[in-house]
Amino acid sequence: MPQPSQHPRFSPIGMFDSGVGGLTVMQQIMKHLPHEQIIYFGDTARLPYGEKSGETIARYAIENTIFLMDKNIKLLVVACNTASAHSMSKLRQLFNVPMVDVIEAGVHQAVLTTKNQRIAVLGTKGTIQSAVYENEIRKHLPESVVISVACPLFTPLVEENFAAHPAAKLIVKEYLASLRKAQADTVILGCTHFPLLAPLIQEELPHVILVDPAVSCAAKVASLLSSSQLEANASMGFRNHSFYVSDDPHKFSVLATNFLGGALPSVEKVSAWK
Amino acid sequence: MPQPSQHPRFSPIGMFDSGVGGLTVMQQIMKHLPHEQIIYFGDTARLPYGEKSGETIARYAIENTIFLMDKNIKLLVVACNTASAHSMSKLRQLFNVPMVDVIEAGVHQAVLTTKNQRIAVLGTKGTIQSAVYENEIRKHLPESVVISVACPLFTPLVEENFAAHPAAKLIVKEYLASLRKAQADTVILGCTHFPLLAPLIQEELPHVILVDPAVSCAAKVASLLSSSQLEANASMGFRNHSFYVSDDPHKFSVLATNFLGGALPSVEKVSAWK
């Protein structure tokens, strides 16, 4: 933890997700900003967020943010599409900290990518029902056509290591059937688990460009820190990332290794809402 | 709600599950005990329970039971295998009310069914890791062989209406591969969602008898009420069942119709833990 006397650029970046999915975003941030210290909170006692109501998700997001604010973070990354969809305006209203969310980042990248202004969005039910991707895309490209597809089984398939199983292929085919004639040239992977199914999705839709919001999310974090003169640098030395979860730390560690491609330091169990 | 002056046999039966799955148990109770009034709580804001830690599940079970005790119930049904696996001893220690759980009921039925003392159990990861079915079966049949298989994708497949999809068939085949040579003659459907996959499971294991704990759970409720002289009767007239959930009531109503085979009366959103 930073000392009170230190410059805020020593403070950590805080990020939360419902579980391990946000680690795909963390990985991108670590790659782009190797000197930053990150505090990650996975709300594993209440996951998944994808099928729950907007009201409940917003409450969870507020509680998670209070937990991270208490750790003196200099920037908040909402690394969960469903939480981004339902809580950003509330979080921005309540908390005095710069924020980056995966949806804004994904939309930015998709708008730069599309040539024919036909963009598809794959997400959880919660994200799709919120229509937030659609609304955000239309702000930049009012004439665009946005095709949204809820893919609720993608997350459990990834969590259960079925991403390479023939059943996953059938389920991908089923969910994407409506997209085969939609002529979208750009497909947003609107859930942090979905990049792990990218090979199957690309096989089913060979002519589209897949957009992983994690990549532009990391770029946005970098530019925001830089413009606020809050970025860490090499002279600060190596500082450990911290991982907190609201349920079993061991299970998180095991799953996280698949996502981050390496062993985690310790994971601590906490309750964000007590 | 019953008046304080009324005999406790007027009081309702309370039951909880993480979501809609417990409605398969409710349906059996309604069939066997048509005069009973039932209060059902589905903890949909925190579902699923199946992959979470025992400690967290026990806490949720206690909170759910406090909510139901406050409704003056005469008997508690824990209609969720994972909650039964992790919380029964704690609940029995804390609360002064007769209790029936799906695991005890399922074991009872399986022990009566098996001829070769080889019993398989299908469940969530939480239920299987707890080894509670195994331990309970061995109390009755110490020489028996119990083969336990975690099937974590079965629940989301049912919830997403993929129970009849070719992908479900592949996933059933994958999970049950280890059972094909296990020579079990009895298979316990150790999760309230699994009866909806019974046709595929039976197709894969044509020579076994499938045990749905909901059936003997209802019988156990009937005998316990009768022996305690707590059963309702026709003279009490028709009383509405009540449904409470911790997240979106509308989503619960829609899903519940598939399980109960008819429209629900109103569903109320409450928080069991605040």
Side-chain angles (χ1 to χ4, degrees), chain A residues 44-48 51-57 59-60 63 125 152-153 156-157 159-160 162 165-168 170-171 174-175 246-248 251 269 271 273-274, chain B residues 44-48 51-57 59-60 63 125 152-153 156-157 159-160 162 165-168 170-171 174-175 246-248 251 269 271 273-274:
Chain A
T44 52
R46 304 191 288 194
L47 69 77
E51 318 302 307
K52 287 167 190 158
S53 69
E55 190 189 344
T56 293
I57 298 308
R59 178 161 63 81
Y60 292 173
E63 289 166 350
K125 270 188 210 160
L153 283 171
L157 285 170
E159 293 263 349
E160 297 307 328
F162 269 68
H165 192 276
L170 289 183
I171 291 169
E174 179 76 39
Y175 281 141
S246 50
D247 197 20
D248 187 4
K251 192 189 166 191
K269 182 179 167 180
S271 171
W273 61 93
K274 277 218 165 142
Chain B
T44 51
R46 305 191 288 195
L47 69 79
E51 320 301 307
K52 287 165 191 162
S53 70
E55 191 189 343
T56 293
I57 298 308
R59 178 161 65 81
Y60 292 173
E63 290 166 349
K125 269 188 211 158
L153 284 172
L157 285 171
E159 294 263 351
E160 296 309 326
F162 269 68
H165 192 275
L170 289 183
I171 290 170
E174 179 77 39
Y175 280 142
S246 51
D247 197 17
D248 187 4
K251 191 187 168 194
K269 180 177 169 183
S271 171
W273 61 94
K274 275 216 168 142

Side-chain angles (χ1 to χ4, degrees), chain A residues 4 48 64 74 105-106 180 186 210 229 244 254:
Chain A
N64 300 343
K74 64 183 173 186
R180 239 170 279 132
T186 304
L210 300 182
Q229 299 185 296
Y244 297 92
V254 172

Side-chain angles (χ1 to χ4, degrees), chain B residues 8-49:
Chain B
R9 65 169 71 221
F10 281 86
S11 294
I13 294 171
M15 46 193 305
F16 76 83
D17 178 44
S18 59
V20 290
L23 295 174
T24 59
V25 181
M26 180 167 176
Q27 197 176 28
Q28 291 296 329
I29 296 176
M30 286 161 63
K31 204 165 109 183
H32 283 69
L33 299 163
H35 307 304
E36 295 295 342
Q37 183 186 21
I38 300 171
I39 297 183
Y40 186 97
F41 177 68
D43 192 11
T44 51
R46 305 191 288 195
L47 69 79
Y49 283 4

Side-chain angles (χ1 to χ4, degrees), chain A residues 140-155:
Chain A
H140 301 274
L141 297 175
E143 305 295 312
S144 61
V145 174
V146 182
I147 310 107
S148 299
V149 183
C151 307
L153 283 171
F154 282 3
T155 301

